[in-house]
Coordinates of all heavy atoms in Angstrom, one line a residue:
M146 N 0.9 -1.2 0.0 CA 0.0 0.0 0.0 C 0.9 1.3 0.0 O 2.0 1.2 0.4 CB -0.9 0.0 1.2 CG -0.3 0.4 2.6 SD -1.3 0.4 4.0 CE -0.9 -1.2 4.6
L147 N 0.4 2.3 -0.5 CA 1.1 3.6 -0.6 C 0.6 4.4 0.6 O -0.7 4.7 0.8 CB 1.0 4.3 -1.8 CG 1.8 5.6 -2.0 CD1 3.3 5.2 -2.1 CD2 1.4 6.4 -3.2
V148 N 1.5 4.9 1.4 CA 1.2 5.8 2.5 C 2.0 7.1 2.3 O 3.2 7.1 2.1 CB 1.5 5.2 3.9 CG1 1.3 6.2 5.0 CG2 0.7 3.9 4.1
V149 N 1.3 8.2 2.5 CA 1.9 9.5 2.4 C 2.1 10.0 3.8 O 1.1 10.0 4.6 CB 1.2 10.6 1.6 CG1 1.8 11.9 1.6 CG2 0.9 10.1 0.1
V150 N 3.3 10.3 4.2 CA 3.6 10.8 5.5 C 4.0 12.2 5.5 O 4.9 12.6 4.6 CB 4.8 10.0 6.2 CG1 5.1 10.5 7.6 CG2 4.5 8.5 6.2
T151 N 3.4 13.1 6.2 CA 3.8 14.5 6.3 C 4.1 14.8 7.8 O 3.5 14.2 8.7 CB 2.7 15.4 5.8 OG1 1.5 15.4 6.6 CG2 2.2 15.0 4.4
Y152 N 5.0 15.7 8.0 CA 5.3 16.1 9.3 C 5.7 17.6 9.4 O 6.1 18.2 8.4 CB 6.4 15.3 9.9 CG 7.7 15.3 9.1 CD1 8.7 16.2 9.2 CD2 7.9 14.2 8.1 CE1 9.8 16.2 8.5 CE2 9.0 14.2 7.4 CZ 10.0 15.2 7.5 OH 11.2 15.2 6.8
D153 N 5.4 18.1 10.6 CA 5.9 19.5 10.9 C 6.5 19.5 12.2 O 5.8 19.3 13.3 CB 4.6 20.4 10.8 CG 5.0 21.9 11.0 OD1 6.2 22.2 10.8 OD2 4.1 22.7 11.3
V154 N 7.8 19.7 12.3 CA 8.6 19.6 13.5 C 9.0 21.0 13.9 O 9.6 21.7 13.1 CB 9.8 18.6 13.4 CG1 10.6 18.6 14.7 CG2 9.3 17.2 13.1
N155 N 8.7 21.4 15.1 CA 9.1 22.7 15.6 C 10.6 22.7 15.8 O 11.2 22.0 16.5 CB 8.5 23.0 16.9 CG 8.7 24.4 17.5 OD1 9.9 24.8 17.6 ND2 7.7 25.1 17.8
T156 N 11.3 23.6 15.1 CA 12.8 23.7 15.1 C 13.3 25.0 15.7 O 14.4 25.4 15.4 CB 13.3 23.6 13.7 OG1 12.8 24.6 12.8 CG2 13.0 22.2 13.0
E157 N 12.5 25.5 16.7 CA 13.0 26.7 17.4 C 14.2 26.5 18.3 O 14.9 27.4 18.6 CB 11.8 27.3 18.1 CG 10.7 27.8 17.2 CD 9.6 28.4 18.0 OE1 9.5 28.3 19.3 OE2 8.7 29.0 17.4
D158 N 14.4 25.3 18.7 CA 15.5 25.0 19.6 C 16.3 23.8 19.0 O 16.0 23.1 18.0 CB 15.0 24.7 21.0 CG 14.1 23.5 21.1 OD1 14.0 22.7 20.2 OD2 13.4 23.4 22.1
Q159 N 17.5 23.6 19.6 CA 18.3 22.5 19.2 C 17.7 21.1 19.2 O 17.9 20.3 18.3 CB 19.6 22.5 20.0 CG 20.6 21.4 19.6 CD 21.2 21.6 18.2 OE1 21.3 22.8 17.7 NE2 21.6 20.6 17.5
A160 N 16.9 20.9 20.3 CA 16.2 19.6 20.4 C 15.2 19.4 19.2 O 15.1 18.3 18.7 CB 15.4 19.5 21.7
G161 N 14.5 20.4 18.8 CA 13.6 20.4 17.6 C 14.4 20.0 16.3 O 13.9 19.3 15.5
R162 N 15.5 20.7 16.1 CA 16.3 20.4 14.9 C 16.8 19.0 14.9 O 16.8 18.3 13.9 CB 17.4 21.4 14.8 CG 16.9 22.9 14.6 CD 18.1 23.8 14.3 NE 18.8 24.2 15.5 CZ 18.5 25.1 16.4 NH1 17.4 25.7 16.3 NH2 19.2 25.3 17.4
K163 N 17.1 18.5 16.1 CA 17.5 17.1 16.2 C 16.3 16.1 15.9 O 16.5 15.1 15.2 CB 18.1 16.8 17.6 CG 18.7 15.5 17.8 CD 19.4 15.3 19.2 CE 19.9 14.0 19.4 NZ 20.6 13.8 20.6
R164 N 15.2 16.4 16.4 CA 14.0 15.6 16.1 C 13.7 15.6 14.6 O 13.4 14.6 14.0 CB 12.8 16.1 16.9 CG 12.7 15.8 18.4 CD 11.3 16.1 19.0 NE 10.7 17.3 18.6 CZ 11.0 18.5 19.2 NH1 11.8 18.5 20.2 NH2 10.3 19.6 18.8
L165 N 13.8 16.8 14.0 CA 13.5 16.9 12.6 C 14.4 15.9 11.8 O 14.0 15.3 10.9 CB 13.7 18.3 12.1 CG 13.6 18.6 10.6 CD1 12.1 18.3 10.2 CD2 13.9 20.0 10.3
R166 N 15.7 16.0 12.1 CA 16.7 15.1 11.4 C 16.3 13.6 11.6 O 16.4 12.8 10.7 CB 18.1 15.4 11.9 CG 18.7 16.7 11.3 CD 20.1 16.8 11.6 NE 20.5 16.8 13.0 CZ 20.5 17.8 13.8 NH1 20.2 19.0 13.4 NH2 20.9 17.7 15.1
K167 N 15.9 13.2 12.8 CA 15.6 11.9 13.1 C 14.3 11.4 12.4 O 14.3 10.3 11.9 CB 15.4 11.7 14.6 CG 16.8 11.7 15.3 CD 16.6 11.4 16.9 CE 17.9 11.4 17.6 NZ 17.7 11.0 19.0
V168 N 13.3 12.3 12.3 CA 12.1 12.0 11.7 C 12.4 11.8 10.2 O 11.9 10.8 9.6 CB 11.0 13.1 11.9 CG1 9.8 12.9 11.0 CG2 10.5 13.1 13.3
A169 N 13.1 12.7 9.6 CA 13.4 12.6 8.1 C 14.2 11.3 7.8 O 13.9 10.6 6.9 CB 14.2 13.8 7.7
K170 N 15.2 11.0 8.7 CA 16.0 9.8 8.5 C 15.1 8.6 8.6 O 15.3 7.6 7.8 CB 17.1 9.8 9.5 CG 18.1 8.7 9.3 CD 19.3 8.8 10.3 CE 20.2 7.7 10.0 NZ 21.4 7.7 10.9
Q171 N 14.2 8.5 9.5 CA 13.3 7.4 9.7 C 12.4 7.3 8.4 O 12.2 6.2 7.9 CB 12.5 7.5 10.9 CG 11.7 6.3 11.3 CD 12.6 5.1 11.6 OE1 13.8 5.2 11.9 NE2 12.1 3.9 11.5
C172 N 11.9 8.3 7.9 CA 11.1 8.3 6.7 C 11.8 7.8 5.5 O 11.3 7.1 4.7 CB 10.4 9.7 6.5 SG 9.2 10.2 7.6
V173 N 13.1 8.2 5.4 CA 13.9 7.7 4.3 C 14.1 6.2 4.3 O 14.2 5.5 3.3 CB 15.4 8.4 4.3 CG1 16.3 7.7 3.4 CG2 15.2 9.8 4.0
N174 N 14.1 5.6 5.5 CA 14.1 4.2 5.6 C 12.9 3.5 5.0 O 13.0 2.3 4.7 CB 14.3 3.8 7.1 CG 15.6 4.2 7.7 OD1 16.6 4.3 6.9 ND2 15.7 4.4 8.9
Y175 N 11.8 4.1 4.9 CA 10.6 3.5 4.4 C 10.1 4.0 3.0 O 9.2 3.4 2.4 CB 9.5 3.7 5.4 CG 9.6 2.9 6.7 CD1 10.3 3.4 7.7 CD2 9.0 1.7 6.8 CE1 10.5 2.6 8.9 CE2 9.2 0.9 7.9 CZ 9.9 1.4 9.0 OH 10.0 0.6 10.1
G176 N 10.6 5.2 2.6 CA 10.0 5.7 1.3 C 10.9 6.7 0.6 O 12.1 6.9 1.0
Q177 N 10.2 7.5 -0.2 CA 10.9 8.5 -1.0 C 10.4 9.9 -0.7 O 9.2 10.1 -0.6 CB 10.5 8.2 -2.5 CG 11.0 9.2 -3.5 CD 12.5 9.1 -3.7 OE1 13.1 8.0 -3.7 NE2 13.1 10.2 -3.9
R178 N 11.3 10.8 -0.5 CA 10.9 12.2 -0.2 C 10.4 12.8 -1.5 O 11.0 12.7 -2.6 CB 12.1 13.0 0.2 CG 11.8 14.4 0.6 CD 13.0 15.3 0.9 NE 13.9 14.7 2.0 CZ 13.8 15.1 3.2 NH1 12.9 16.1 3.6 NH2 14.6 14.7 4.2
V179 N 9.2 13.4 -1.5 CA 8.6 14.0 -2.6 C 8.5 15.5 -2.4 O 8.2 16.2 -3.4 CB 7.3 13.4 -3.0 CG1 7.5 12.0 -3.5 CG2 6.2 13.4 -1.9
Q180 N 8.5 16.0 -1.2 CA 8.5 17.4 -0.8 C 9.4 17.5 0.4 O 9.8 16.5 1.0 CB 7.1 18.0 -0.6 CG 6.2 17.9 -1.7 CD 6.5 19.1 -2.7 OE1 6.9 20.1 -2.4 NE2 6.3 18.7 -4.0
N181 N 9.7 18.7 0.9 CA 10.5 18.9 2.0 C 10.1 18.0 3.2 O 11.0 17.3 3.8 CB 10.6 20.3 2.5 CG 11.5 21.1 1.6 OD1 12.4 20.6 0.9 ND2 11.3 22.4 1.6
S182 N 8.9 18.0 3.6 CA 8.4 17.3 4.8 C 7.3 16.3 4.4 O 6.4 16.0 5.1 CB 7.9 18.2 5.9 OG 8.9 19.0 6.3
V183 N 7.4 15.7 3.2 CA 6.4 14.8 2.7 C 7.1 13.6 2.0 O 8.0 13.7 1.2 CB 5.5 15.5 1.5 CG1 4.5 14.5 1.0 CG2 4.9 16.7 2.1
F184 N 6.8 12.4 2.5 CA 7.3 11.2 2.0 C 6.2 10.2 1.4 O 5.1 10.2 2.0 CB 8.1 10.4 3.0 CG 9.4 11.0 3.3 CD1 9.6 12.1 4.1 CD2 10.6 10.4 2.8 CE1 10.8 12.6 4.4 CE2 11.8 10.9 3.1 CZ 11.9 12.0 3.9
E185 N 6.4 9.6 0.3 CA 5.6 8.5 -0.2 C 6.3 7.2 0.2 O 7.4 6.9 -0.2 CB 5.4 8.6 -1.7 CG 4.6 9.8 -2.0 CD 4.4 9.9 -3.6 OE1 4.9 9.1 -4.3 OE2 3.6 10.9 -3.9
C186 N 5.5 6.3 1.0 CA 6.1 5.1 1.4 C 5.3 4.0 0.9 O 4.1 3.9 1.3 CB 6.1 5.1 3.0 SG 7.0 6.5 3.7
S187 N 5.9 3.0 0.2 CA 5.3 1.8 -0.2 C 5.6 0.7 0.8 O 6.7 0.2 0.9 CB 5.8 1.4 -1.6 OG 5.1 0.3 -2.1
V188 N 4.6 0.4 1.6 CA 4.8 -0.5 2.8 C 3.6 -1.5 2.9 O 2.5 -1.3 2.3 CB 4.8 0.3 4.1 CG1 6.1 1.2 4.1 CG2 3.6 1.1 4.3
D189 N 3.9 -2.6 3.6 CA 2.8 -3.5 3.9 C 2.3 -3.2 5.3 O 2.8 -2.2 5.9 CB 3.3 -5.0 3.9 CG 4.5 -5.3 4.8 OD1 4.5 -4.7 5.9 OD2 5.2 -6.2 4.6
A190 N 1.2 -3.9 5.7 CA 0.6 -3.5 7.0 C 1.5 -3.5 8.2 O 1.5 -2.6 9.0 CB -0.6 -4.5 7.2
G191 N 2.4 -4.4 8.2 CA 3.4 -4.5 9.4 C 4.4 -3.4 9.3 O 4.7 -2.8 10.4
Q192 N 4.9 -3.1 8.2 CA 5.8 -2.0 8.0 C 5.1 -0.6 8.4 O 5.7 0.2 9.0 CB 6.4 -1.9 6.6 CG 7.3 -3.0 6.3 CD 7.7 -3.0 4.8 OE1 6.8 -2.8 3.9 NE2 8.9 -3.4 4.5
Y193 N 3.9 -0.5 8.0 CA 3.1 0.7 8.2 C 3.0 0.9 9.8 O 3.2 2.0 10.3 CB 1.8 0.6 7.6 CG 0.8 1.8 7.8 CD1 1.3 3.1 7.7 CD2 -0.5 1.6 8.0 CE1 0.5 4.2 7.9 CE2 -1.4 2.7 8.1 CZ -0.8 4.0 8.1 OH -1.7 5.1 8.2
K194 N 2.7 -0.2 10.5 CA 2.5 -0.1 11.9 C 3.9 0.3 12.6 O 3.9 1.1 13.5 CB 2.1 -1.5 12.4 CG 1.6 -1.5 13.9 CD 1.1 -2.8 14.3 CE 0.6 -2.8 15.7 NZ 0.0 -4.0 16.1
L195 N 4.9 -0.3 12.1 CA 6.3 0.0 12.6 C 6.7 1.5 12.3 O 7.2 2.2 13.2 CB 7.4 -0.9 12.0 CG 7.3 -2.3 12.5 CD1 8.4 -3.2 11.7 CD2 7.7 -2.4 14.0
L196 N 6.4 1.9 11.1 CA 6.7 3.3 10.7 C 5.9 4.3 11.6 O 6.5 5.2 12.2 CB 6.3 3.6 9.3 CG 6.4 5.0 8.7 CD1 7.8 5.5 8.8 CD2 5.8 5.1 7.4
K197 N 4.6 4.1 11.8 CA 3.9 5.0 12.7 C 4.4 5.0 14.1 O 4.6 6.0 14.7 CB 2.4 4.6 12.7 CG 1.7 5.0 11.5 CD 0.1 4.9 11.7 CE -0.3 3.5 12.1 NZ -1.8 3.4 12.1
A198 N 4.7 3.8 14.7 CA 5.2 3.7 16.0 C 6.5 4.4 16.2 O 6.7 5.1 17.1 CB 5.3 2.2 16.4
S199 N 7.4 4.2 15.2 CA 8.8 4.8 15.3 C 8.7 6.3 15.2 O 9.4 7.0 15.9 CB 9.7 4.2 14.3 OG 9.3 4.5 13.0
L200 N 7.9 6.8 14.3 CA 7.7 8.3 14.2 C 7.1 8.9 15.4 O 7.5 10.0 15.9 CB 7.0 8.7 12.9 CG 7.8 8.3 11.6 CD1 6.9 8.7 10.4 CD2 9.1 9.1 11.6
C201 N 6.1 8.2 16.0 CA 5.4 8.8 17.1 C 6.3 8.8 18.3 O 6.2 9.6 19.2 CB 4.1 8.0 17.5 SG 2.8 8.3 16.3
E202 N 7.3 7.9 18.4 CA 8.3 7.9 19.5 C 9.2 9.1 19.4 O 9.8 9.5 20.4 CB 9.1 6.6 19.5 CG 8.4 5.4 20.0 CD 9.2 4.2 20.0 OE1 10.4 4.3 19.8 OE2 8.7 3.1 20.2
L203 N 9.4 9.6 18.1 CA 10.4 10.7 17.9 C 9.9 12.0 18.1 O 10.6 12.9 18.5 CB 10.9 10.5 16.5 CG 11.8 9.3 16.1 CD1 12.1 9.3 14.7 CD2 13.1 9.3 17.0
I204 N 8.6 12.3 17.9 CA 8.1 13.6 17.9 C 7.7 14.1 19.3 O 7.4 13.2 20.2 CB 6.9 13.8 16.9 CG1 5.7 13.1 17.4 CG2 7.3 13.5 15.5 CD1 4.4 13.6 16.7
D205 N 7.6 15.3 19.5 CA 7.1 16.0 20.7 C 5.6 16.3 20.4 O 5.3 17.2 19.6 CB 7.8 17.2 21.0 CG 7.4 17.9 22.3 OD1 6.2 17.8 22.7 OD2 8.3 18.6 22.9
F206 N 4.7 15.6 21.1 CA 3.2 15.8 20.8 C 2.7 17.2 21.2 O 1.7 17.6 20.7 CB 2.4 14.7 21.5 CG 2.5 13.4 20.8 CD1 3.5 12.5 21.1 CD2 1.5 13.0 20.0 CE1 3.5 11.3 20.4 CE2 1.5 11.8 19.3 CZ 2.5 10.9 19.6
E207 N 3.5 17.9 21.9 CA 3.1 19.3 22.3 C 3.5 20.3 21.2 O 2.9 21.3 21.1 CB 3.7 19.7 23.6 CG 3.2 18.8 24.8 CD 1.7 18.9 25.0 OE1 1.2 20.1 25.0 OE2 1.1 17.9 25.3
K208 N 4.6 20.0 20.4 CA 5.1 20.9 19.5 C 5.1 20.5 18.0 O 5.1 21.4 17.2 CB 6.6 21.2 19.9 CG 6.8 21.8 21.3 CD 8.3 22.0 21.5 CE 8.6 22.5 22.8 NZ 10.0 22.7 23.1
D209 N 5.0 19.2 17.7 CA 5.2 18.7 16.4 C 3.8 18.0 15.9 O 3.0 17.8 16.8 CB 6.3 17.6 16.3 CG 7.6 18.2 16.9 OD1 7.8 19.3 16.9 OD2 8.3 17.3 17.4
S210 N 3.8 17.8 14.6 CA 2.6 17.0 14.2 C 3.0 16.0 13.0 O 4.0 16.3 12.3 CB 1.5 17.9 13.7 OG 2.0 18.6 12.5
L211 N 2.3 15.0 13.0 CA 2.4 13.9 11.9 C 1.1 13.7 11.3 O 0.1 13.7 11.9 CB 2.9 12.6 12.5 CG 4.3 12.4 12.9 CD1 4.4 11.1 13.7 CD2 5.2 12.3 11.7
R212 N 1.1 13.4 10.0 CA -0.1 13.0 9.3 C 0.2 11.8 8.4 O 1.3 11.8 7.7 CB -0.7 14.1 8.4 CG -1.4 15.2 9.2 CD -1.9 16.2 8.2 NE -2.7 17.2 9.0 CZ -4.0 17.4 9.0 NH1 -4.7 16.6 8.3 NH2 -4.5 18.3 9.7
F213 N -0.6 10.8 8.4 CA -0.5 9.7 7.5 C -1.7 9.6 6.6 O -2.9 9.6 7.1 CB -0.4 8.4 8.4 CG 0.8 8.4 9.3 CD1 0.7 8.9 10.6 CD2 1.9 7.8 8.9 CE1 1.8 8.9 11.5 CE2 3.0 7.8 9.8 CZ 2.9 8.3 11.0
Y214 N -1.5 9.5 5.3 CA -2.6 9.3 4.3 C -2.4 8.0 3.7 O -1.4 7.8 2.9 CB -2.5 10.4 3.3 CG -2.7 11.9 3.9 CD1 -1.5 12.6 4.3 CD2 -3.9 12.4 4.0 CE1 -1.7 13.9 4.8 CE2 -4.0 13.7 4.5 CZ -2.9 14.4 4.9 OH -3.0 15.7 5.4
N215 N -3.3 7.1 4.0 CA -3.2 5.7 3.4 C -4.0 5.7 2.1 O -5.2 5.8 2.1 CB -3.9 4.7 4.4 CG -3.7 3.3 4.0 OD1 -3.4 3.0 2.9 ND2 -3.8 2.4 4.9
L216 N -3.2 5.6 1.0 CA -3.8 5.6 -0.3 C -4.1 4.2 -0.8 O -4.7 4.0 -1.9 CB -2.9 6.4 -1.3 CG -2.7 7.8 -1.0 CD1 -1.7 8.4 -2.0 CD2 -3.9 8.6 -0.9
G217 N -3.7 3.2 -0.1 CA -4.0 1.8 -0.4 C -3.2 1.3 -1.5 O -2.1 1.9 -1.9
N218 N -3.6 0.2 -2.1 CA -2.9 -0.5 -3.2 C -3.2 0.1 -4.6 O -2.4 -0.1 -5.5 CB -3.1 -2.0 -3.2 CG -2.5 -2.6 -1.9 OD1 -1.4 -2.2 -1.5 ND2 -3.3 -3.6 -1.3
N219 N -4.3 0.7 -4.7 CA -4.7 1.2 -6.0 C -4.6 2.7 -6.1 O -5.4 3.5 -6.4 CB -6.2 0.9 -6.3 CG -6.4 -0.6 -6.4 OD1 -5.6 -1.3 -7.0 ND2 -7.5 -1.1 -5.8
Y220 N -3.4 3.2 -5.7 CA -3.1 4.6 -5.5 C -2.8 5.3 -6.8 O -2.9 6.6 -6.9 CB -1.9 4.8 -4.6 CG -0.6 4.2 -5.1 CD1 0.2 4.9 -6.0 CD2 -0.3 2.9 -4.8 CE1 1.3 4.3 -6.5 CE2 0.9 2.3 -5.3 CZ 1.7 3.0 -6.1 OH 2.8 2.4 -6.5
H221 N -2.6 4.6 -7.9 CA -2.2 5.2 -9.2 C -3.2 6.2 -9.7 O -2.8 7.2 -10.3 CB -2.0 4.1 -10.3 CG -0.8 3.2 -9.9 ND1 -0.9 2.1 -9.2 CD2 0.5 3.3 -10.2 CE1 0.3 1.5 -9.1 NE2 1.2 2.2 -9.6
T222 N -4.5 5.9 -9.5 CA -5.5 6.8 -9.9 C -5.8 8.0 -9.0 O -6.6 8.9 -9.3 CB -6.8 6.1 -10.2 OG1 -7.2 5.5 -8.9 CG2 -6.6 4.9 -11.2
K223 N -5.1 8.0 -7.8 CA -5.4 9.0 -6.8 C -4.3 10.1 -6.7 O -4.4 11.0 -5.9 CB -5.5 8.3 -5.4 CG -6.6 7.3 -5.3 CD -6.6 6.6 -4.0 CE -7.7 5.5 -4.0 NZ -7.6 4.7 -2.8
I224 N -3.3 9.9 -7.6 CA -2.2 10.9 -7.5 C -2.1 11.6 -8.9 O -2.0 11.0 -9.9 CB -0.8 10.2 -7.3 CG1 -0.9 9.5 -5.9 CG2 0.4 11.2 -7.3 CD1 0.3 8.6 -5.6
E225 N -2.0 13.0 -8.8 CA -1.7 13.8 -9.9 C -0.5 14.7 -9.6 O -0.5 15.2 -8.5 CB -3.0 14.7 -10.3 CG -4.2 13.9 -10.8 CD -5.3 14.9 -11.1 OE1 -6.0 15.3 -10.2 OE2 -5.4 15.2 -12.3
H226 N 0.3 14.8 -10.5 CA 1.5 15.6 -10.3 C 1.6 16.7 -11.4 O 1.5 16.4 -12.5 CB 2.8 14.8 -10.3 CG 4.1 15.5 -10.2 ND1 4.8 15.8 -11.2 CD2 4.7 16.0 -9.0 CE1 5.9 16.5 -10.8 NE2 5.8 16.7 -9.5
F227 N 2.0 17.9 -11.0 CA 2.2 19.0 -11.9 C 3.4 19.7 -11.5 O 3.6 19.9 -10.3 CB 1.0 20.0 -11.9 CG -0.3 19.3 -12.3 CD1 -1.1 18.8 -11.2 CD2 -0.7 19.1 -13.6 CE1 -2.3 18.2 -11.5 CE2 -1.9 18.5 -13.9 CZ -2.7 18.1 -12.8
G228 N 4.2 20.2 -12.3 CA 5.4 21.0 -12.0 C 6.7 20.4 -12.3 O 6.8 19.4 -13.0
A229 N 7.7 21.0 -11.8 CA 9.1 20.7 -12.2 C 9.7 19.3 -11.8 O 10.3 18.7 -12.5 CB 10.0 21.8 -11.6
K230 N 9.4 18.9 -10.5 CA 10.0 17.6 -10.1 C 9.3 16.5 -10.8 O 8.0 16.4 -10.7 CB 9.9 17.5 -8.6 CG 10.8 18.4 -7.9 CD 10.8 18.1 -6.4 CE 11.8 19.0 -5.6 NZ 11.9 18.6 -4.2
R231 N 10.0 15.6 -11.4 CA 9.5 14.4 -12.0 C 8.9 13.5 -11.0 O 9.6 13.3 -9.9 CB 10.5 13.8 -12.9 CG 10.9 14.6 -14.1 CD 11.8 13.8 -15.0 NE 11.3 12.4 -15.1 CZ 11.2 11.8 -16.3 NH1 11.4 12.4 -17.4 NH2 10.8 10.6 -16.3
S232 N 7.9 12.8 -11.3 CA 7.3 11.8 -10.4 C 8.2 10.6 -10.5 O 9.0 10.4 -11.4 CB 5.9 11.5 -10.7 OG 5.3 10.7 -9.8
Y233 N 7.9 9.6 -9.7 CA 8.6 8.3 -9.8 C 7.6 7.2 -9.6 O 6.5 7.4 -9.1 CB 9.7 8.2 -8.7 CG 9.2 8.0 -7.3 CD1 9.2 6.7 -6.7 CD2 8.5 9.0 -6.6 CE1 8.7 6.5 -5.5 CE2 8.0 8.8 -5.4 CZ 8.1 7.6 -4.8 OH 7.5 7.4 -3.6
E234 N 7.9 6.0 -9.9 CA 7.1 4.8 -9.7 C 7.4 4.2 -8.3 O 8.4 3.7 -8.1 CB 7.3 3.8 -10.8 CG 6.4 2.6 -10.7 CD 4.9 3.0 -10.9 OE1 4.6 3.8 -11.7 OE2 4.1 2.3 -10.2
A235 N 6.4 4.3 -7.4 CA 6.6 3.9 -6.0 C 6.9 2.4 -5.9 O 7.6 1.9 -5.0 CB 5.4 4.2 -5.2
D236 N 6.4 1.6 -6.9 CA 6.6 0.2 -6.9 C 7.8 -0.2 -7.7 O 8.2 -1.4 -7.8 CB 5.4 -0.6 -7.4 CG 4.2 -0.5 -6.4 OD1 4.4 -0.3 -5.2 OD2 3.1 -0.6 -6.8
G237 N 8.4 0.7 -8.3 CA 9.5 0.5 -9.2 C 10.8 0.2 -8.5 O 10.9 0.4 -7.3
L238 N 11.9 0.0 -9.3 CA 13.2 -0.2 -8.7 C 13.7 1.2 -8.2 O 13.7 2.1 -8.9 CB 14.1 -0.7 -9.8 CG 15.6 -1.0 -9.4 CD1 15.6 -2.0 -8.3 CD2 16.4 -1.5 -10.6
L239 N 14.3 1.1 -7.0 CA 14.8 2.4 -6.4 C 16.3 2.2 -6.4 O 16.8 1.3 -5.7 CB 14.3 2.6 -5.0 CG 14.7 3.9 -4.3 CD1 14.4 5.1 -5.1 CD2 14.2 3.9 -2.9
M240 N 17.1 3.0 -7.0 CA 18.5 2.9 -7.1 C 19.1 3.8 -6.0 O 18.7 4.9 -5.9 CB 19.1 3.3 -8.5 CG 18.6 2.5 -9.6 SD 19.3 0.9 -9.7 CE 20.8 1.2 -10.4
V241 N 20.1 3.3 -5.2 CA 20.7 4.2 -4.2 C 22.1 4.4 -4.6 O 22.8 3.6 -5.1 CB 20.6 3.4 -2.8 CG1 21.3 4.3 -1.8 CG2 19.2 3.2 -2.5

């Protein structure tokens, strides 16, 4: 399934900047960055649960926010892209 993860981490202090780096690094482990604080993650149900749990452990619930948009397995018809950055195939081969 495709899950879109968005986050807003308060970076007014050093601890917030550290949380931001950790959240971004964790998201990279599961998906592709498509905007500054937006990741598309192709995961199964177990990975989705682990992703949510790990991100919720990292954020400060008083200062930060997370959003998860579950687009399911038939997400191809639910995404439209316009503009400069080229889209990618979430189920395709990812070269590192």
Side-chain angles (χ1 to χ4, degrees):
M146 76 179 99
L147 186 70
V148 175
V149 176
V150 179
T151 68
Y152 54 87
D153 187 15
V154 176
N155 183 308
T156 58
E157 292 177 353
D158 59 16
Q159 183 64 29
R162 291 186 288 277
K163 186 175 181 180
R164 285 193 313 277
L165 177 64
R166 289 189 299 273
K167 287 182 177 184
V168 167
K170 187 174 181 178
Q171 189 64 20
C172 287
V173 167
N174 290 334
Y175 286 89
Q177 176 72 35
R178 184 189 300 265
V179 293
Q180 297 284 328
N181 284 338
S182 297
V183 181
F184 282 79
E185 291 180 356
C186 304
S187 183
V188 293
D189 61 31
Q192 291 170 324
Y193 181 40
K194 189 174 182 177
L195 288 172
L196 173 61
K197 284 195 300 185
S199 64
L200 292 177
C201 285
E202 286 180 12
L203 293 174
I204 69 162
D205 180 333
F206 282 85
E207 298 295 319
K208 298 179 181 179
D209 309 329
S210 68
L211 280 171
R212 285 182 178 253
F213 298 90
Y214 299 90
N215 187 339
L216 300 180
N218 292 322
N219 298 318
Y220 61 87
H221 295 90
T222 60
K223 298 174 184 173
I224 299 173
E225 291 184 279
H226 177 262
F227 304 95
K230 288 189 178 181
R231 291 184 44 129
S232 189
Y233 76 102
E234 183 63 38
D236 292 334
L238 180 62
L239 182 61
M240 301 287 282
V241 180

